[in-house]
Amino acid sequence: MQSNSKASKANDPSSLPLVLLGTSVLLFGFMGFNAGSVVYMDTVDDAKLASLSVVNTIISAAGGSLSVSMVIRITKHSWNLQQSCNGLLAGMVSICASANQVKPWAAIVIGHQSYTSHIWVFCN
């Protein structure tokens, strides 16, 4: 992201590999957290709910990240990995409360809407 403005340089990450590392650690933690929200693994149905929550977490994170990537690619004609990581985090946070309650097709919609909410709140 090449820009001459001081504001954009202040928001650039100091180390993109560390941004990726932190995002992957958070993704791993969110998968465990959302799967652990089932609490018990006594029956097969509990195991199905735990696996559904992990799948929905990944799908929602991908939906948020893809939304960010496509919007930035269309508007600025470039790719921005830092913003893609932000979209991924927004997708994970947005699915957290309902990870084991929604179907996978709804998880990608929730991830996409998380990016829309993120832009509405933080960029206005």
Side-chain angles (χ1 to χ4, degrees):
M1 185 172 171
Q2 299 293 328
S3 178
N4 293 333
S5 69
K6 291 180 182 178
S8 69
K9 289 185 181 196
N11 292 329
D12 287 343
S14 58
S15 175
L16 198 54
L18 289 178
V19 170
L20 292 172
L21 178 65
T23 303
S24 61
V25 167
L26 282 170
L27 177 63
F28 184 73
F30 264 92
M31 287 189 298
F33 177 76
N34 288 344
S37 66
V38 175
V39 179
Y40 295 107
M41 292 289 278
D42 293 339
T43 64
V44 174
D45 290 333
D46 293 338
K48 287 180 182 178
L49 280 178
S51 63
L52 178 66
S53 66
V54 170
V55 167
N56 283 343
T57 301
I58 294 170
I59 289 174
S60 180
S65 183
L66 285 173
S67 295
V68 169
S69 297
M70 291 300 109
V71 168
I72 289 176
R73 179 68 180 161
I74 289 168
T75 58
K76 297 186 180 181
H77 305 291
S78 66
W79 299 102
N80 190 331
L81 194 56
Q82 179 192 7
Q83 290 299 322
S84 295
C85 288
N86 285 340
L88 189 127
L89 294 173
M92 287 189 299
V93 168
S94 67
I95 197 69
C96 210
S98 61
N100 60 357
Q101 300 295 319
V102 299
K103 295 186 188 238
W105 67 266
I108 199 159
V109 173
I110 291 170
H112 171 71
Q113 291 299 334
S114 69
Y115 170 68
T116 307
S117 301
H118 171 75
I119 290 298
W120 184 68
V121 169
F122 292 109
C123 294
N124 282 333

PDB file of all heavy atoms in Angstrom, residues 45-74:
ATOM      1  N   ASP A  45     -24.207 -36.280  19.030  1.00  0.00           N
ATOM      2  CA  ASP A  45     -24.777 -34.970  18.701  1.00  0.00           C
ATOM      3  C   ASP A  45     -23.915 -33.822  19.227  1.00  0.00           C
ATOM      4  O   ASP A  45     -23.787 -32.791  18.563  1.00  0.00           O
ATOM      5  CB  ASP A  45     -26.196 -34.850  19.257  1.00  0.00           C
ATOM      6  CG  ASP A  45     -27.177 -35.736  18.519  1.00  0.00           C
ATOM      7  OD1 ASP A  45     -26.923 -36.032  17.326  1.00  0.00           O
ATOM      8  OD2 ASP A  45     -28.191 -36.121  19.125  1.00  0.00           O
ATOM      9  N   ASP A  46     -23.323 -34.015  20.404  1.00  0.00           N
ATOM     10  CA  ASP A  46     -22.419 -32.999  20.932  1.00  0.00           C
ATOM     11  C   ASP A  46     -21.182 -32.848  20.050  1.00  0.00           C
ATOM     12  O   ASP A  46     -20.713 -31.740  19.797  1.00  0.00           O
ATOM     13  CB  ASP A  46     -21.989 -33.343  22.359  1.00  0.00           C
ATOM     14  CG  ASP A  46     -23.133 -33.267  23.353  1.00  0.00           C
ATOM     15  OD1 ASP A  46     -24.123 -32.562  23.058  1.00  0.00           O
ATOM     16  OD2 ASP A  46     -23.026 -33.905  24.411  1.00  0.00           O
ATOM     17  N   ALA A  47     -20.663 -33.971  19.578  1.00  0.00           N
ATOM     18  CA  ALA A  47     -19.503 -33.927  18.682  1.00  0.00           C
ATOM     19  C   ALA A  47     -19.856 -33.253  17.358  1.00  0.00           C
ATOM     20  O   ALA A  47     -19.046 -32.501  16.803  1.00  0.00           O
ATOM     21  CB  ALA A  47     -18.982 -35.336  18.434  1.00  0.00           C
ATOM     22  N   LYS A  48     -21.067 -33.497  16.862  1.00  0.00           N
ATOM     23  CA  LYS A  48     -21.507 -32.827  15.630  1.00  0.00           C
ATOM     24  C   LYS A  48     -21.628 -31.324  15.827  1.00  0.00           C
ATOM     25  O   LYS A  48     -21.268 -30.545  14.946  1.00  0.00           O
ATOM     26  CB  LYS A  48     -22.839 -33.411  15.160  1.00  0.00           C
ATOM     27  CG  LYS A  48     -22.725 -34.790  14.580  1.00  0.00           C
ATOM     28  CD  LYS A  48     -24.085 -35.300  14.136  1.00  0.00           C
ATOM     29  CE  LYS A  48     -23.973 -36.708  13.592  1.00  0.00           C
ATOM     30  NZ  LYS A  48     -25.278 -37.253  13.205  1.00  0.00           N
ATOM     31  N   LEU A  49     -22.142 -30.904  16.984  1.00  0.00           N
ATOM     32  CA  LEU A  49     -22.237 -29.470  17.266  1.00  0.00           C
ATOM     33  C   LEU A  49     -20.862 -28.822  17.370  1.00  0.00           C
ATOM     34  O   LEU A  49     -20.646 -27.709  16.880  1.00  0.00           O
ATOM     35  CB  LEU A  49     -23.022 -29.226  18.553  1.00  0.00           C
ATOM     36  CG  LEU A  49     -24.533 -29.291  18.463  1.00  0.00           C
ATOM     37  CD1 LEU A  49     -25.149 -29.082  19.839  1.00  0.00           C
ATOM     38  CD2 LEU A  49     -25.057 -28.272  17.487  1.00  0.00           C
ATOM     39  N   ALA A  50     -19.920 -29.523  17.994  1.00  0.00           N
ATOM     40  CA  ALA A  50     -18.563 -28.980  18.107  1.00  0.00           C
ATOM     41  C   ALA A  50     -17.913 -28.849  16.736  1.00  0.00           C
ATOM     42  O   ALA A  50     -17.275 -27.831  16.431  1.00  0.00           O
ATOM     43  CB  ALA A  50     -17.719 -29.854  19.018  1.00  0.00           C
ATOM     44  N   SER A  51     -18.079 -29.861  15.899  1.00  0.00           N
ATOM     45  CA  SER A  51     -17.492 -29.783  14.560  1.00  0.00           C
ATOM     46  C   SER A  51     -18.187 -28.719  13.713  1.00  0.00           C
ATOM     47  O   SER A  51     -17.540 -28.033  12.919  1.00  0.00           O
ATOM     48  CB  SER A  51     -17.539 -31.145  13.870  1.00  0.00           C
ATOM     49  OG  SER A  51     -18.870 -31.567  13.675  1.00  0.00           O
ATOM     50  N   LEU A  52     -19.495 -28.563  13.889  1.00  0.00           N
ATOM     51  CA  LEU A  52     -20.215 -27.512  13.171  1.00  0.00           C
ATOM     52  C   LEU A  52     -19.705 -26.132  13.576  1.00  0.00           C
ATOM     53  O   LEU A  52     -19.548 -25.243  12.724  1.00  0.00           O
ATOM     54  CB  LEU A  52     -21.718 -27.613  13.431  1.00  0.00           C
ATOM     55  CG  LEU A  52     -22.594 -26.548  12.777  1.00  0.00           C
ATOM     56  CD1 LEU A  52     -22.566 -26.698  11.260  1.00  0.00           C
ATOM     57  CD2 LEU A  52     -24.004 -26.620  13.305  1.00  0.00           C
ATOM     58  N   SER A  53     -19.416 -25.958  14.848  1.00  0.00           N
ATOM     59  CA  SER A  53     -18.929 -24.652  15.290  1.00  0.00           C
ATOM     60  C   SER A  53     -17.541 -24.353  14.726  1.00  0.00           C
ATOM     61  O   SER A  53     -17.251 -23.207  14.368  1.00  0.00           O
ATOM     62  CB  SER A  53     -18.931 -24.562  16.808  1.00  0.00           C
ATOM     63  OG  SER A  53     -18.004 -25.449  17.366  1.00  0.00           O
ATOM     64  N   VAL A  54     -16.692 -25.364  14.602  1.00  0.00           N
ATOM     65  CA  VAL A  54     -15.364 -25.155  14.002  1.00  0.00           C
ATOM     66  C   VAL A  54     -15.503 -24.818  12.521  1.00  0.00           C
ATOM     67  O   VAL A  54     -14.865 -23.884  12.020  1.00  0.00           O
ATOM     68  CB  VAL A  54     -14.466 -26.392  14.213  1.00  0.00           C
ATOM     69  CG1 VAL A  54     -13.192 -26.283  13.392  1.00  0.00           C
ATOM     70  CG2 VAL A  54     -14.126 -26.552  15.681  1.00  0.00           C
ATOM     71  N   VAL A  55     -16.343 -25.562  11.810  1.00  0.00           N
ATOM     72  CA  VAL A  55     -16.556 -25.300  10.384  1.00  0.00           C
ATOM     73  C   VAL A  55     -17.130 -23.902  10.176  1.00  0.00           C
ATOM     74  O   VAL A  55     -16.679 -23.154   9.302  1.00  0.00           O
ATOM     75  CB  VAL A  55     -17.474 -26.387   9.768  1.00  0.00           C
ATOM     76  CG1 VAL A  55     -17.963 -25.988   8.402  1.00  0.00           C
ATOM     77  CG2 VAL A  55     -16.735 -27.709   9.706  1.00  0.00           C
ATOM     78  N   ASN A  56     -18.112 -23.528  10.976  1.00  0.00           N
ATOM     79  CA  ASN A  56     -18.717 -22.202  10.840  1.00  0.00           C
ATOM     80  C   ASN A  56     -17.728 -21.087  11.175  1.00  0.00           C
ATOM     81  O   ASN A  56     -17.769 -20.019  10.568  1.00  0.00           O
ATOM     82  CB  ASN A  56     -19.965 -22.087  11.708  1.00  0.00           C
ATOM     83  CG  ASN A  56     -21.140 -22.799  11.100  1.00  0.00           C
ATOM     84  OD1 ASN A  56     -21.153 -23.115   9.919  1.00  0.00           O
ATOM     85  ND2 ASN A  56     -22.141 -23.054  11.911  1.00  0.00           N
ATOM     86  N   THR A  57     -16.842 -21.331  12.124  1.00  0.00           N
ATOM     87  CA  THR A  57     -15.828 -20.337  12.454  1.00  0.00           C
ATOM     88  C   THR A  57     -14.908 -20.097  11.268  1.00  0.00           C
ATOM     89  O   THR A  57     -14.622 -18.947  10.905  1.00  0.00           O
ATOM     90  CB  THR A  57     -15.006 -20.793  13.681  1.00  0.00           C
ATOM     91  OG1 THR A  57     -15.881 -20.990  14.786  1.00  0.00           O
ATOM     92  CG2 THR A  57     -13.943 -19.789  14.040  1.00  0.00           C
ATOM     93  N   ILE A  58     -14.462 -21.169  10.637  1.00  0.00           N
ATOM     94  CA  ILE A  58     -13.563 -21.041   9.488  1.00  0.00           C
ATOM     95  C   ILE A  58     -14.279 -20.400   8.310  1.00  0.00           C
ATOM     96  O   ILE A  58     -13.728 -19.521   7.631  1.00  0.00           O
ATOM     97  CB  ILE A  58     -12.982 -22.416   9.111  1.00  0.00           C
ATOM     98  CG1 ILE A  58     -12.079 -22.923  10.236  1.00  0.00           C
ATOM     99  CG2 ILE A  58     -12.219 -22.347   7.797  1.00  0.00           C
ATOM    100  CD1 ILE A  58     -11.643 -24.350  10.085  1.00  0.00           C
ATOM    101  N   ILE A  59     -15.517 -20.818   8.051  1.00  0.00           N
ATOM    102  CA  ILE A  59     -16.259 -20.272   6.910  1.00  0.00           C
ATOM    103  C   ILE A  59     -16.558 -18.782   7.116  1.00  0.00           C
ATOM    104  O   ILE A  59     -16.437 -17.981   6.187  1.00  0.00           O
ATOM    105  CB  ILE A  59     -17.546 -21.076   6.671  1.00  0.00           C
ATOM    106  CG1 ILE A  59     -17.201 -22.454   6.127  1.00  0.00           C
ATOM    107  CG2 ILE A  59     -18.486 -20.358   5.726  1.00  0.00           C
ATOM    108  CD1 ILE A  59     -18.378 -23.380   5.989  1.00  0.00           C
ATOM    109  N   SER A  60     -16.953 -18.404   8.313  1.00  0.00           N
ATOM    110  CA  SER A  60     -17.251 -16.996   8.582  1.00  0.00           C
ATOM    111  C   SER A  60     -15.989 -16.142   8.484  1.00  0.00           C
ATOM    112  O   SER A  60     -16.026 -15.028   7.950  1.00  0.00           O
ATOM    113  CB  SER A  60     -17.890 -16.847   9.956  1.00  0.00           C
ATOM    114  OG  SER A  60     -18.189 -15.508  10.225  1.00  0.00           O
ATOM    115  N   ALA A  61     -14.881 -16.652   8.976  1.00  0.00           N
ATOM    116  CA  ALA A  61     -13.611 -15.937   8.856  1.00  0.00           C
ATOM    117  C   ALA A  61     -13.226 -15.768   7.394  1.00  0.00           C
ATOM    118  O   ALA A  61     -12.785 -14.689   6.977  1.00  0.00           O
ATOM    119  CB  ALA A  61     -12.520 -16.683   9.617  1.00  0.00           C
ATOM    120  N   ALA A  62     -13.421 -16.815   6.606  1.00  0.00           N
ATOM    121  CA  ALA A  62     -13.122 -16.721   5.179  1.00  0.00           C
ATOM    122  C   ALA A  62     -14.041 -15.729   4.487  1.00  0.00           C
ATOM    123  O   ALA A  62     -13.604 -14.973   3.606  1.00  0.00           O
ATOM    124  CB  ALA A  62     -13.249 -18.097   4.534  1.00  0.00           C
ATOM    125  N   GLY A  63     -15.317 -15.699   4.880  1.00  0.00           N
ATOM    126  CA  GLY A  63     -16.251 -14.740   4.298  1.00  0.00           C
ATOM    127  C   GLY A  63     -15.850 -13.307   4.586  1.00  0.00           C
ATOM    128  O   GLY A  63     -15.896 -12.445   3.700  1.00  0.00           O
ATOM    129  N   GLY A  64     -15.433 -13.023   5.803  1.00  0.00           N
ATOM    130  CA  GLY A  64     -14.983 -11.679   6.149  1.00  0.00           C
ATOM    131  C   GLY A  64     -13.718 -11.291   5.405  1.00  0.00           C
ATOM    132  O   GLY A  64     -13.600 -10.182   4.881  1.00  0.00           O
ATOM    133  N   SER A  65     -12.780 -12.221   5.319  1.00  0.00           N
ATOM    134  CA  SER A  65     -11.522 -11.941   4.638  1.00  0.00           C
ATOM    135  C   SER A  65     -11.716 -11.759   3.134  1.00  0.00           C
ATOM    136  O   SER A  65     -11.132 -10.852   2.527  1.00  0.00           O
ATOM    137  CB  SER A  65     -10.534 -13.075   4.909  1.00  0.00           C
ATOM    138  OG  SER A  65      -9.300 -12.797   4.319  1.00  0.00           O
ATOM    139  N   LEU A  66     -12.541 -12.595   2.532  1.00  0.00           N
ATOM    140  CA  LEU A  66     -12.798 -12.460   1.094  1.00  0.00           C
ATOM    141  C   LEU A  66     -13.538 -11.176   0.770  1.00  0.00           C
ATOM    142  O   LEU A  66     -13.266 -10.532  -0.260  1.00  0.00           O
ATOM    143  CB  LEU A  66     -13.585 -13.665   0.585  1.00  0.00           C
ATOM    144  CG  LEU A  66     -12.794 -14.951   0.431  1.00  0.00           C
ATOM    145  CD1 LEU A  66     -13.715 -16.105   0.086  1.00  0.00           C
ATOM    146  CD2 LEU A  66     -11.716 -14.799  -0.602  1.00  0.00           C
ATOM    147  N   SER A  67     -14.454 -10.780   1.622  1.00  0.00           N
ATOM    148  CA  SER A  67     -15.173  -9.523   1.396  1.00  0.00           C
ATOM    149  C   SER A  67     -14.217  -8.342   1.401  1.00  0.00           C
ATOM    150  O   SER A  67     -14.278  -7.474   0.531  1.00  0.00           O
ATOM    151  CB  SER A  67     -16.241  -9.323   2.464  1.00  0.00           C
ATOM    152  OG  SER A  67     -17.218 -10.308   2.367  1.00  0.00           O
ATOM    153  N   VAL A  68     -13.333  -8.319   2.386  1.00  0.00           N
ATOM    154  CA  VAL A  68     -12.350  -7.242   2.462  1.00  0.00           C
ATOM    155  C   VAL A  68     -11.469  -7.249   1.225  1.00  0.00           C
ATOM    156  O   VAL A  68     -11.241  -6.211   0.601  1.00  0.00           O
ATOM    157  CB  VAL A  68     -11.484  -7.398   3.733  1.00  0.00           C
ATOM    158  CG1 VAL A  68     -10.310  -6.461   3.697  1.00  0.00           C
ATOM    159  CG2 VAL A  68     -12.296  -7.183   4.963  1.00  0.00           C
ATOM    160  N   SER A  69     -10.977  -8.420   0.865  1.00  0.00           N
ATOM    161  CA  SER A  69     -10.062  -8.511  -0.271  1.00  0.00           C
ATOM    162  C   SER A  69     -10.712  -8.047  -1.559  1.00  0.00           C
ATOM    163  O   SER A  69     -10.095  -7.309  -2.341  1.00  0.00           O
ATOM    164  CB  SER A  69      -9.574  -9.958  -0.429  1.00  0.00           C
ATOM    165  OG  SER A  69      -8.852 -10.356   0.697  1.00  0.00           O
ATOM    166  N   MET A  70     -11.942  -8.452  -1.787  1.00  0.00           N
ATOM    167  CA  MET A  70     -12.602  -8.061  -3.031  1.00  0.00           C
ATOM    168  C   MET A  70     -12.932  -6.573  -3.076  1.00  0.00           C
ATOM    169  O   MET A  70     -12.754  -5.926  -4.102  1.00  0.00           O
ATOM    170  CB  MET A  70     -13.872  -8.888  -3.236  1.00  0.00           C
ATOM    171  CG  MET A  70     -13.616 -10.344  -3.541  1.00  0.00           C
ATOM    172  SD  MET A  70     -12.643 -10.574  -5.027  1.00  0.00           S
ATOM    173  CE  MET A  70     -11.085 -11.120  -4.362  1.00  0.00           C
ATOM    174  N   VAL A  71     -13.385  -6.016  -1.964  1.00  0.00           N
ATOM    175  CA  VAL A  71     -13.708  -4.583  -1.941  1.00  0.00           C
ATOM    176  C   VAL A  71     -12.452  -3.751  -2.150  1.00  0.00           C
ATOM    177  O   VAL A  71     -12.450  -2.793  -2.934  1.00  0.00           O
ATOM    178  CB  VAL A  71     -14.424  -4.198  -0.625  1.00  0.00           C
ATOM    179  CG1 VAL A  71     -14.494  -2.700  -0.452  1.00  0.00           C
ATOM    180  CG2 VAL A  71     -15.808  -4.803  -0.602  1.00  0.00           C
ATOM    181  N   ILE A  72     -11.358  -4.108  -1.498  1.00  0.00           N
ATOM    182  CA  ILE A  72     -10.115  -3.352  -1.664  1.00  0.00           C
ATOM    183  C   ILE A  72      -9.570  -3.529  -3.081  1.00  0.00           C
ATOM    184  O   ILE A  72      -9.080  -2.576  -3.690  1.00  0.00           O
ATOM    185  CB  ILE A  72      -9.088  -3.765  -0.598  1.00  0.00           C
ATOM    186  CG1 ILE A  72      -9.541  -3.240   0.757  1.00  0.00           C
ATOM    187  CG2 ILE A  72      -7.705  -3.237  -0.936  1.00  0.00           C
ATOM    188  CD1 ILE A  72      -8.675  -3.652   1.906  1.00  0.00           C
ATOM    189  N   ARG A  73      -9.686  -4.727  -3.619  1.00  0.00           N
ATOM    190  CA  ARG A  73      -9.201  -4.967  -4.988  1.00  0.00           C
ATOM    191  C   ARG A  73     -10.005  -4.153  -5.997  1.00  0.00           C
ATOM    192  O   ARG A  73      -9.446  -3.593  -6.943  1.00  0.00           O
ATOM    193  CB  ARG A  73      -9.293  -6.459  -5.315  1.00  0.00           C
ATOM    194  CG  ARG A  73      -8.843  -6.809  -6.695  1.00  0.00           C
ATOM    195  CD  ARG A  73      -7.369  -6.598  -6.848  1.00  0.00           C
ATOM    196  NE  ARG A  73      -6.985  -6.963  -8.199  1.00  0.00           N
ATOM    197  CZ  ARG A  73      -5.881  -6.583  -8.769  1.00  0.00           C
ATOM    198  NH1 ARG A  73      -5.025  -5.850  -8.104  1.00  0.00           N
ATOM    199  NH2 ARG A  73      -5.605  -6.948  -9.984  1.00  0.00           N
ATOM    200  N   ILE A  74     -11.308  -4.064  -5.800  1.00  0.00           N
ATOM    201  CA  ILE A  74     -12.157  -3.321  -6.739  1.00  0.00           C
ATOM    202  C   ILE A  74     -11.959  -1.814  -6.582  1.00  0.00           C
ATOM    203  O   ILE A  74     -11.868  -1.095  -7.571  1.00  0.00           O
ATOM    204  CB  ILE A  74     -13.640  -3.709  -6.536  1.00  0.00           C
ATOM    205  CG1 ILE A  74     -13.857  -5.136  -7.036  1.00  0.00           C
ATOM    206  CG2 ILE A  74     -14.567  -2.752  -7.266  1.00  0.00           C
ATOM    207  CD1 ILE A  74     -15.190  -5.723  -6.643  1.00  0.00           C
TER     208      ILE A  74
END
